Amino acid sequence: MSQQTIAFIGLGIMGGPMAGHLVDAGHDVVGHNLSRLAVDVLVERGGRAATDTADAVREADVVITMVPDSPDVESLVFGSDRGDDGILANAKPGTLHIDCSTIRPDVARRIAEAERERGIRPVDAPVSGGEPAAVEAALSIMVGGAAEDVEAARPLLETVGRTVVHVGPAGSGQTVKAANQLIVAGNIQLVAEALVFLEAHDVDTESALAVLQGGLAGSTVLARKGAGMRARTFAPGFRIDLHHKDMGIVTTAAREAGVAIPLGAHVAQLVASLRAQGHGGLDHSALLKQVEELSGRATA
Ligand code: NAD
């Protein structure tokens, strides 16, 4: 793969390690982030620092964005009220824009249309696997966009991910990611309910989770989150705030399509409730706290 100049915007829990892998692969990575510390970490690994979005994208062959929510990506693409400080106004025609953030599919489609008008090649490529997979370059990446743009993005996506699948036109990656978040939230909630249930029956939960993992109840959620849930360690990982955003995306998109997601809608309410109780900064496995409360078994 030839060396490319990559503007990487959003160097948080996920973007930081992803940008680092691209540096390690020999690319010229120019980083921008709201807080400076994350940029310094990238520079230490061999990347370069940009002063702002315009500075980051001006010379880039590829722009990768990894920011929290739809309005964040919109403001990066369209710029502020001045309109001259975003990706649209500053990226060269032909630049590939890979958005790895999890955002609304309709927003991804609107951005893709605006970018295509300016000769920028849009790819939506949200990721799954969480921080460990970002660190291990083992993400699962669901990709939407035109086939030739997705193929141009593939070598970079394969540098940060292990499973990279083109799922359809612009916005499709985000639709698949919404389904991913529906499954993950439901799975965490049921693992939490099972754990509290087992504890109430004085079962050794370490052994119980080991045997459950070997059968049909086993899951990546159980494997990755089970031990932390048993120990009540809820440092993020994936914040409840972000999963609340994603449950909003999937419930809205389901409504638009006229599809009922009764269990998903219920879990969305449980995530919203946990956040309303002030736990938005905890890992999504903290859904367990709420099951304890509902069961009168809260410890602290
Ligand atoms: P994060 O909050 O850790 O990082 C986001 C970063 O973006 C922050 O460092 C922030 O400073 C930066 N940022 C925001 N707006 C910016 C702007 N305008 N210019 C420059 N920098 C800006 O979030 P994260 O956990 O890395 O998640 C990023 C995205 O990836 C989200 O859409 C999330 O839903 C998705 N995601 C997260 C995980 C996870 O486990 N954390 C897993 C899969 C997908």
Side-chain angles (χ1 to χ4, degrees), residues 166-259:
H166 183 198
V167 293
S172 313
Q174 296 296 351
T175 305
V176 176
K177 175 66 185 182
N180 184 86
Q181 295 305 82
L182 173 67
I183 295 168
V184 170
N187 199 343
I188 292 176
Q189 176 65 24
L190 286 175
V191 169
E193 291 180 14
L195 255 174
V196 174
F197 162 79
L198 289 166
E199 287 173 358
H201 281 281
D202 290 327
V203 171
D204 171 29
T205 52
E206 188 175 7
S207 322
L209 294 196
V211 71
L212 288 173
Q213 184 61 21
L216 199 53
S219 67
T220 309
V221 163
L222 190 55
R224 290 254 174 99
K225 304 279 181 188
M229 289 164 87
R230 285 182 56 244
R232 292 0 183 209
T233 48
F234 300 128
F238 189 71
R239 287 182 283 123
I240 282 288
D241 279 338
L242 289 175
H243 218 139
H244 176 64
K245 167 205 53 145
D246 293 348
M247 296 314 283
I249 292 172
V250 70
T251 46
T252 305
R255 189 184 165 94
E256 274 166 13
V259 170

Side-chain angles (χ1 to χ4, degrees), residues 8-18 32-36 38 52-53 65-73 75-76 99-103 126-132 134 139 177 180-181 225 236-239 242-243 245-246 249 283-284:
F8 204 114
I9 305 175
L11 301 166
I13 288 178
M14 301 298 283
M18 290 166 71
H32 176 50
N33 192 65
L34 288 186
S35 63
R36 175 68 205 205
D52 53 28
T53 303
T65 43
M66 191 47 159
V67 291
D69 202 350
S70 304
D72 303 310
V73 182
S75 77
L76 286 173
D99 181 32
C100 292
S101 325
T102 303
I103 65 169
V127 309
S128 178
E131 188 183 15
L139 291 163
K177 175 66 185 182
N180 184 86
Q181 295 305 82
K225 304 279 181 188
F238 189 71
R239 287 182 283 123
L242 289 175
H243 218 139
K245 167 205 53 145
D246 293 348
I249 292 172
D283 190 69
H284 48 176

